[in-house]
Amino acid sequence: TVVFGQADIDVAADTKYWNIPSAGLYRIVVNADTKMITIYSQATDPQPKLITGHKDTSSGTTVLEDVYVTNLWMWGGFNNWTGDGSSATEKGFSEKYKLTPSLANPYIFVYKGDVLPREKESGSVKFCITNKLNNVYAYSSASTRGVFLDVVHGGSYTLFEGQLDNRYSYVKIPENTNYIMVDIEKLVVVFDNKQ
């Protein structure tokens, strides 16, 4: 089955080929699980999410800025956070544990690497749009403060986004996790162990 972004490419009647109306750059996404192909033209290609009016207070004053979400940083007790607000890039943020966008979809962020540590609070983690701790826009386990959500490998769990009380809630990383997928459009997270 073939799906086209905004129906900008015609499918031939026998579905053995596609009529691409003009030369250009196209994003072709093949989903091996659903056996679907999606083709996006430059006009319909999904772009990174824009957070309008993100509050950046890392300089000591509040600055409102528009930020495209191009990476997500994990922060929490999983790698021995400090949380004391003493530096612009807090201990707890690490390039090693940064989630990068999928080539297929800029709303899906993936970590695949070493098994994640679980040093404090059973490996608690939230996902931030920058590596600045103070008042950062985040994706977490609840819209209220103080929630530490237990999850298991392979399950899909709801995320809550924003710069309010959700920033003080976390997901507990299951043991032996080396894969995380965060979908900031559908607001779900999946933890797993993948070889």
Side-chain angles (χ1 to χ4, degrees), residues 158-173:
T158 301
L159 289 173
F160 295 82
E161 66 177 314
Q163 278 186 275
L164 299 173
D165 285 344
N166 71 296
R167 295 180 295 123
Y168 303 100
S169 289
Y170 301 87
V171 181
K172 293 182 182 180
I173 299 171

Side-chain angles (χ1 to χ4, degrees), residues 35-107:
K35 297 180 174 58
M36 299 277 289
I37 298 171
T38 306
I39 302 174
Y40 298 100
S41 71
Q42 285 180 296
T44 62
D45 192 26
Q47 298 302 307
K49 181 175 182 173
L50 176 64
I51 305 297
T52 304
H54 172 258
K55 286 191 251 179
D56 182 356
T57 59
S58 61
S59 65
T61 60
T62 300
V63 177
L64 293 179
E65 59 186 4
D66 293 344
V67 177
Y68 284 99
V69 183
T70 57
N71 291 294
L72 290 178
W73 281 265
M74 290 188 261
W75 194 83
F78 80 100
N79 66 339
N80 202 18
W81 61 8
T82 60
D84 62 8
S86 62
S87 67
T89 53
E90 288 282 335
K91 180 178 180 186
F93 286 114
S94 170
E95 290 294 308
K96 180 177 182 179
Y97 304 124
K98 179 171 69 175
L99 285 81
T100 56
S102 161
L103 293 175
N105 184 335
Y107 290 95

Side-chain angles (χ1 to χ4, degrees), residues 2 4 9-21 39:
V2 179
F4 297 96
I9 299 173
D10 295 326
V11 178
D14 61 7
T15 67
K16 292 182 182 177
Y17 64 91
W18 306 293
N19 179 22
I20 298 174
I39 302 174

